[in-house]
Amino acid sequence: MKLRFTAMTVCLFCMSLAAFAQGMTDKQVMDYVKSGLAEGKSRSDLIQELMLKGVTKEQAERIRSQYENAQTTGDVIYFDVQDRMHTTSGDVETVAATPLSSGSVEQVEPDKVFGRDIFRDRNLTFAPSENIATPKNYRLGPGDEVIIDIFGVNQNTIRGHISPEGSINVDFLGPVYLNGMTVEEANSYLRKKLSSIYGGLKTDESGRGTDIKLSLGQIRTIQVNALGEVSRPGTYVVSSFSTVFHLLYLAGGVKDPGTLRNILVKRNGKTVGEVDVYNFLVNGNRKSDIRLEEGDVVLVSPYSVMIKVGGFVKRPMYFEMKKGETIADALEYAGGFASSAYTESITLVRQTGNRYEVRTIDSSEFDRFKVQDGDEFTVGKTTSLFYNKTTITGSVFMPGDYELNENMHTVSQLVKAAGGLLPEAFQDRAVMQRELPDKTFEVVPLNIGRIMAGLSPDVELMNNDVLQISDKNALIDRGTMTISGYVSRPGEYPFAENTTIEDLILIAGGLQNGASTARVDISRRVLDPEALEAGSEISQLFSFAIKDGFVEDGKGGFVLEPYDEVTVHRSPSYAPQRHVSVTGEVNFPGTFTMTGREDRISDLIKKAGGLTSFAYPRGARLVRPMSDTEKRQSAEVVRTLYSNDDSASVSDVSSFAAYNVAIDLEAAVANPGSDADIVLREGDQLIVPVYSNVVRVTGAVMNPATLTYKSGKSAGYYIKNCGGYAKRAMKSKAYVIRMNGVSQKVGLNTKIMPGDELIIPKKEKRHTNWGNVVSIGTSIASLGTMVAYLVVATKK
């Protein structure tokens, strides 16, 4: 049983523990809390000690969850106003605890029963406040602390708790019985009693001398019971200021099929109050929420009448009703009609015997028609039909719906009510859509201009007529103009009359840097509405030069037509700066701008101040980024190579970023402009290394190593000095990577240069595929059986 107390204590600690390294097991935490409680330690002391011992919030939450899930013993748990928990089995202990989490309370759908979830809201506890004045009808009892202040000629303060016998002990006076008295009654009684001790103590409220004032200090707790249809029935210890609502909150609220309209409060076997929760929910009235006294029983019985109100009300739910209540009461609980509700009648479905009946209740009966248990009321929606509406749309100042009445019932009156026709209105023909009695429609053509001028008869309007007046500009395809190329805002623009090339360029934000003014092209559609067959010409092309924002001759005048397309080309001589870089052994390494389209390696070396004395030109290499075209070609080659390999997916083909270009820097510098002096490209990077006098040997040799370069020695020399070939070495596949990035197949007599890397590939070890072996064996066996059959058949 004490484990349950400890678990609830840890629940409170969960909100206070900071994040420390875990230093105690769950069992050690529980044992520590139990021993601390037995020693009389306070809650705050236990929290601090557990924090210092490294108990984390997560650990405390886990312990709480474990013991909450294990609470199935049936013991009654109850709380006082500070949410202190007790149990009715064994010795009563009091330990601090947090309010129960929402997970421990029965969850009810919010639209199930109106008010059913009111006592499950953690933010609405109805807890009594101890900071208010003592109610006049509050009666003192055992456990209450009374404070008697004596002031005036004599000064003294007497404090004491009322004993279980109902009295307090006063020096020189002995026990004074106060049980059952109100504060006012106790004050008068003590004035008389203390007058024998304090001389001059007046017995009424007039005159001077000594006086006393009795007030309430710490209030007592009382035991009350929650029974019936509540989530956690049992005995609860609560503040003596507590009311029925607070007890219902502690008991987890009312559950199905409990009543909210007739909750009984019994005292000494008699009913002293009836609580109607709806009076609080609807009217905010808590008069029936009476204050509890010692031994009170709050009894929640099953409901008597439950109905359902659905449809177009503000609060469609189930509602508990009292006998004799009417539809009007139900509508009040439902919040009234929704804005779109049909309020003249309500549909009722009622069970009669073993059948159901449908009734339509007129609004005149709402305050007389009494509801019954199981009734279902449905409020319908009002129709969207109009009996006096006409509509005007299109080219008027204020299009919309208008009232059809005796002052506005013709077409001209409707147009005037809408502010009149817009200048762009097409007046030769308007269309009125009219709804016929059979709900079909007809179109009535109108010459709105003649009607407004009084030259044609006005037309009478009918309910739901829709008058549409078109925009004459909308009836013509105005078209667009398109500009592309080297302008700031290329795109498509609405066509406007008398727009020239210059105008469109300005509309598009002007020419960009690099735009050609020597040639601007205009393509125009070929239009021949009367043509009977297709022609060979599909468009016309015009070209102009631009100078100072005008056509070359200094005059504007080429007017664009709908759907013309203007193209501003890039100037042939325009090119953005291109950059190449050089690193390594040059005097000024860095990035340089190309000055010509055919800048070469020798030009780059000159710009970098030449080679240093430490440079090794034979090892120089050029790294060139791949262009988009080269990337696509490389990817296509990879696809082709792997076309017969099911494991090679096209999506796995990587796009290469750069590649090495084989160069001879010595020849390029010695003979500028020669074939060895390669033409550079945007992004090229020249790398000039220092001299390296080593040779690296890797792969299938006995001892891969980096060896000192020996002038004139071949590949066989370096392989020998690495212990020779290793097992499974692919001798015929050996190759060398030069310092300049060039790869070359080698034999034993191939000359090796400084900085080279000699690579001997290794054969892959083959693994026996036993699945293939079994398959081949089965096939051979089948083939043997067939051959034997054929031999026997031929002998016959």
Side-chain angles (χ1 to χ4, degrees):
M1 172 52 60
K2 291 186 178 182
L3 290 179
R4 297 181 64 194
F5 306 149
T6 309
M8 292 302 293
T9 304
V10 175
C11 293
L12 184 60
F13 296 159
C14 294
M15 305 304 296
S16 307
L17 295 180
F20 291 89
Q22 182 171 339
M24 301 177 67
T25 65
D26 293 355
K27 185 177 184 303
Q28 289 173 336
V29 172
M30 298 301 298
D31 292 342
Y32 190 87
V33 172
K34 287 193 294 183
S35 62
L37 293 173
E39 296 171 3
K41 292 182 179 180
S42 67
R43 163 180 165 266
S44 58
D45 291 340
L46 285 174
I47 290 176
Q48 293 177 359
E49 292 173 6
L50 288 173
M51 288 172 62
L52 293 175
K53 291 182 178 294
V55 176
T56 65
K57 177 181 178 180
E58 291 74 15
Q59 184 182 10
E61 290 281 4
R62 183 176 65 252
I63 296 172
R64 180 189 68 177
S65 177
Q66 292 173 354
Y67 284 95
E68 280 183 350
N69 294 335
Q71 289 179 3
T72 56
T73 60
D75 296 329
V76 178
I77 303 171
Y78 53 102
F79 298 77
D80 63 10
V81 69
Q82 289 83 20
D83 287 325
R84 292 175 292 186
M85 188 184 75
H86 304 262
T87 177
T88 55
S89 58
D91 297 334
V92 174
E93 297 185 15
T94 302
V95 286
T98 57
L100 290 177
S101 65
S102 57
S104 63
V105 180
E106 177 190 5
Q107 297 298 310
V108 179
E109 298 177 3
D111 61 348
K112 181 67 175 178
V113 177
F114 176 59
R116 184 65 60 78
D117 58 347
I118 184 68
F119 300 112
R120 295 181 174 84
D121 189 346
R122 298 186 66 185
N123 297 319
L124 190 62
T125 65
F126 301 100
S129 173
E130 297 183 14
N131 296 322
I132 61 174
T134 305
K136 291 184 178 181
N137 60 350
Y138 181 81
R139 297 192 176 275
L140 301 175
D144 280 338
E145 180 188 26
V146 293
I147 303 172
I148 306 170
D149 292 313
I150 303 172
F151 54 92
V153 176
N154 297 286
Q155 300 284 336
N156 194 10
T157 298
I158 303 172
R159 303 176 69 100
H161 286 82
I162 298 178
S163 68
E165 290 75 23
S167 62
I168 63 170
N169 190 47
V170 179
D171 292 342
F172 308 111
L173 194 61
V176 177
Y177 189 81
L178 299 177
N179 186 47
M181 296 183 184
T182 65
V183 173
E184 185 177 354
E185 292 170 347
N187 196 77
S188 299
Y189 180 72
L190 283 170
R191 182 179 288 110
K192 295 178 182 179
K193 286 288 186 180
L194 293 175
S195 61
S196 61
I197 302 177
Y198 298 97
L201 185 65
K202 59 179 182 291
T203 58
D204 54 32
E205 296 181 358
S206 60
R208 297 181 179 180
T210 302
D211 201 356
I212 70 168
K213 179 69 175 180
L214 182 143
S215 59
L216 192 62
Q218 182 179 354
I219 61 174
R220 71 182 186 276
T221 58
I222 58 175
Q223 287 192 2
V224 292
N225 305 281
L227 301 177
E229 305 300 331
V230 293
S231 295
R232 294 187 298 271
T235 300
Y236 291 81
V237 174
V238 297
S239 163
S240 55
F241 282 0
S242 294
T243 63
V244 174
F245 283 6
H246 182 53
L247 177 60
L248 290 175
Y249 167 77
L250 297 178
V254 177
K255 67 178 182 180
D256 188 45
T259 180
L260 294 169
R261 306 297 308 277
N262 190 29
I263 300 173
L264 302 180
V265 180
K266 292 185 174 292
R267 186 173 296 157
N268 299 323
K270 298 179 180 180
T271 300
V272 296
E274 297 180 2
V275 179
D276 184 353
V277 179
Y278 278 24
N279 195 20
F280 168 69
L281 294 176
V282 177
N283 303 316
N285 189 344
R286 286 187 64 178
K287 288 184 178 180
S288 62
D289 183 22
I290 63 177
R291 185 170 50 81
L292 299 173
E293 295 187 7
E294 180 71 29
D296 281 356
V297 176
V298 175
L299 179 62
V300 180
S301 304
Y303 65 81
S304 298
V305 179
M306 184 73 70
I307 67 169
K308 180 180 181 181
V309 180
F312 289 85
V313 292
K314 295 178 181 177
R315 194 183 290 135
M317 301 178 72
Y318 285 90
F319 297 91
E320 182 185 348
M321 307 294 290
K322 287 185 175 181
K323 291 183 178 180
E325 288 189 317
T326 64
I327 294 178
D329 297 319
L331 289 173
E332 181 183 5
Y333 300 147
F337 291 109
S339 59
S340 57
Y342 180 69
T343 62
E344 298 301 318
S345 65
I346 291 180
T347 301
L348 165 65
V349 176
R350 172 174 288 180
Q351 184 177 3
T352 305
N354 58 356
R355 295 187 179 183
Y356 289 90
E357 66 171 340
V358 177
R359 296 182 60 180
T360 301
I361 313 301
D362 189 80
S363 59
S364 61
E365 302 181 67
F366 286 174
D367 57 353
R368 300 194 307 268
F369 190 91
K370 296 180 180 180
V371 300
Q372 295 182 10
D373 186 34
D375 283 353
E376 293 189 11
F377 296 93
T378 303
V379 177
K381 183 180 180 182
T382 186
T383 64
S384 58
L385 299 178
F386 294 88
Y387 65 88
N388 65 338
K389 185 188 79 166
T390 184
T391 304
I392 185 170
T393 63
S395 295
V396 291
F397 283 96
M398 294 181 293
D401 297 332
Y402 289 87
E403 178 187 1
L404 187 62
N405 55 42
E406 59 182 9
N407 297 321
M408 207 283 293
H409 56 85
T410 66
V411 168
S412 63
Q413 291 172 341
L414 176 60
V415 173
K416 291 177 182 178
L421 298 172
L422 291 173
E424 62 270 20
F426 183 65
Q427 301 185 23
D428 292 342
R429 187 180 181 88
V431 175
M432 185 163 64
Q433 188 179 55
R434 173 161 290 174
E435 183 181 48
L436 300 178
D438 60 356
K439 299 304 179 183
T440 60
F441 293 90
E442 69 172 354
V443 173
V444 180
L446 303 172
N447 189 318
I448 196 67
R450 292 182 62 85
I451 292 176
M452 297 305 295
L455 300 178
S456 294
D458 209 349
V459 177
E460 287 288 328
L461 296 173
M462 297 179 61
N463 184 41
N464 290 327
D465 277 353
V466 177
L467 178 60
Q468 180 179 351
I469 300 175
S470 300
D471 183 344
K472 59 184 178 183
N473 295 323
L475 301 176
I476 303 173
D477 182 5
R478 306 298 297 176
T480 60
M481 304 173 294
T482 302
I483 185 168
S484 60
Y486 275 66
V487 291
S488 297
R489 295 189 296 272
E492 192 175 84
Y493 295 88
F495 175 77
E497 295 287 348
N498 299 319
T499 303
T500 64
I501 299 174
E502 299 92 323
D503 297 331
L504 184 57
I505 291 175
L506 290 175
I507 293 172
L511 299 175
Q512 282 188 333
N513 185 29
S516 172
T517 60
R519 180 178 173 181
V520 175
D521 292 339
I522 299 94
S523 63
R524 176 170 292 171
R525 294 181 180 182
V526 175
L527 298 177
D528 187 2
E530 298 180 356
L532 298 177
E533 59 183 18
S536 60
E537 186 181 28
I538 60 174
S539 66
Q540 294 177 305
L541 182 65
F542 306 91
S543 296
F544 298 94
I546 300 295
K547 183 178 182 181
D548 298 329
F550 294 95
V551 175
E552 182 63 41
D553 58 7
K555 299 179 182 179
F558 187 86
V559 178
L560 298 176
E561 295 183 1
Y563 300 107
D564 278 357
E565 295 182 0
V566 178
T567 303
V568 180
H569 297 284
R570 180 176 66 93
S571 175
S573 64
Y574 172 77
Q577 290 90 337
R578 302 176 185 177
H579 301 89
V580 292
S581 62
V582 58
T583 59
E585 295 303 315
V586 293
N587 288 312
F588 298 99
T591 300
F592 298 90
T593 302
M594 297 175 62
T595 56
R597 295 181 183 273
E598 294 188 354
D599 274 9
R600 298 173 181 266
I601 292 178
S602 60
D603 298 321
L604 179 59
I605 294 297
K606 289 179 182 178
K607 293 175 182 177
L611 301 174
T612 67
S613 58
F614 305 102
Y616 180 55
R618 289 188 178 181
R621 69 179 188 274
L622 183 69
V623 179
R624 172 163 291 176
M626 274 193 171
S627 65
D628 293 339
T629 301
E630 289 172 332
K631 289 179 181 179
R632 288 194 297 270
Q633 291 174 347
S634 299
E636 188 62 34
V637 170
V638 174
R639 290 190 188 94
T640 303
L641 292 175
Y642 285 94
S643 59
N644 297 324
D645 188 354
D646 293 339
S647 64
S649 172
V650 174
S651 62
D652 296 333
V653 178
S654 32
S655 297
F656 306 101
Y659 58 92
N660 290 321
V661 179
I663 62 172
D664 187 345
L665 183 59
E666 284 183 326
V669 174
N671 301 292
S674 64
D675 290 341
D677 194 9
I678 294 176
V679 176
L680 297 175
R681 200 168 74 181
E682 167 77 15
D684 281 353
Q685 181 183 9
L686 179 62
I687 303 173
V688 183
V690 296
Y691 176 76
S692 176
N693 65 338
V694 296
V695 176
R696 186 181 180 190
V697 183
T698 61
V701 292
M702 298 302 295
N703 182 30
T706 299
L707 306 176
T708 303
Y709 170 74
K710 297 292 183 180
S711 179
K713 295 298 182 180
S714 63
Y717 167 81
Y718 294 100
I719 293 173
K720 180 178 179 181
N721 279 274
C722 287
Y725 292 111
K727 188 177 180 180
R728 296 197 303 277
M730 300 176 68
K731 303 175 184 178
S732 61
K733 302 294 184 181
Y735 63 97
V736 64
I737 300 178
R738 307 291 186 184
M739 281 191 71
N740 63 357
V742 176
S743 298
Q744 178 183 349
K745 185 177 180 180
V746 299
L748 294 176
N749 297 321
T750 301
K751 187 177 180 179
I752 300 300
M753 303 300 294
D756 285 353
E757 181 177 1
L758 184 60
I759 301 174
I760 314 299
K762 185 178 182 180
K763 296 177 183 178
E764 293 293 333
K765 186 176 181 180
R766 295 184 178 180
H767 299 279
T768 303
N769 190 328
W770 291 106
N772 291 340
V773 172
V774 173
S775 177
I776 294 171
T778 303
S779 300
I780 294 175
S782 300
L783 182 62
T785 303
M786 182 178 68
V787 171
Y789 174 78
L790 292 175
V791 170
V792 174
T794 54
K795 287 184 178 181
K796 292 182 179 180

